Amino acid sequence: MGEQIQRELTDVLRRGVKDSRIGNVTITAVDVSGDLRTAKVFYLIFGHEGPNPQVQRGLESAAGFLRNALSRALMIRYTPTLSFELDTSIERGVRLTQLIDAANKPAGGGDPGTGGDPGAGGDAGAGGDPRTGGGRGEAD
């Protein structure tokens, strides 16, 4: 039901709402309660980062009109009450990706193939695993 409401709201916002405060709004998701009485509408503002109180007020002002349009388009017994919330999931995703990238960055800034140890690698025949006793000259 949430996807259907999202499609209808997107269409109505694009064609039926003349309020300039909400001209650059994109509906990203709709979370409908189990009893279909309320729907939380998540949105992004194109070309603007963070919340914009004017856009929020414009959406809240248009909520009755949007609910009426949903009622006609969806033909369901009860049309949910709409509430609007700025979608911050993309920002959270970007921040999480940055944290993961920082955690995976090799220590010491060395070559990732050497584990960050500047003395490691280079001569394939030299060395061995000191934990297993595999060192130079052991086979002699």
Side-chain angles (χ1 to χ4, degrees), residues 5-13 27 30 41 66 70 82:
I5 291 174
Q6 180 182 353
R7 279 191 302 271
E8 291 299 327
L9 285 177
T10 299
D11 188 48
V12 172
L13 282 172
I27 305 299
V30 177
V41 180
L66 294 170
L70 280 177
L82 304 175

Side-chain angles (χ1 to χ4, degrees), residues 100-116:
I100 291 170
D101 289 346
N104 288 333
K105 193 177 211 178
D111 182 13
T114 64

Side-chain angles (χ1 to χ4, degrees), residues 32-70:
V32 183
S33 65
D35 62 1
L36 303 178
R37 298 284 182 176
T38 60
K40 188 180 290 188
V41 180
F42 294 93
Y43 68 92
L44 286 174
I45 307 165
F46 182 72
H48 188 275
E49 283 189 40
N52 184 333
Q54 287 184 330
V55 171
Q56 183 70 31
R57 283 193 299 272
L59 288 168
E60 290 168 359
S61 172
F65 172 79
L66 294 170
R67 187 173 180 216
N68 191 346
L70 280 177

Side-chain angles (χ1 to χ4, degrees), residues 43-98:
Y43 68 92
L44 286 174
I45 307 165
F46 182 72
H48 188 275
E49 283 189 40
N52 184 333
Q54 287 184 330
V55 171
Q56 183 70 31
R57 283 193 299 272
L59 288 168
E60 290 168 359
S61 172
F65 172 79
L66 294 170
R67 187 173 180 216
N68 191 346
L70 280 177
S71 172
R72 287 188 310 251
L74 299 178
M75 293 187 278
I76 53 179
R77 177 181 292 197
Y78 188 84
T79 306
T81 302
L82 304 175
S83 64
F84 298 92
E85 188 172 316
L86 183 66
D87 189 350
T88 58
S89 64
I90 293 174
E91 293 170 6
R92 285 194 310 261
V94 167
R95 178 70 182 133
L96 185 59
T97 300
Q98 289 171 342

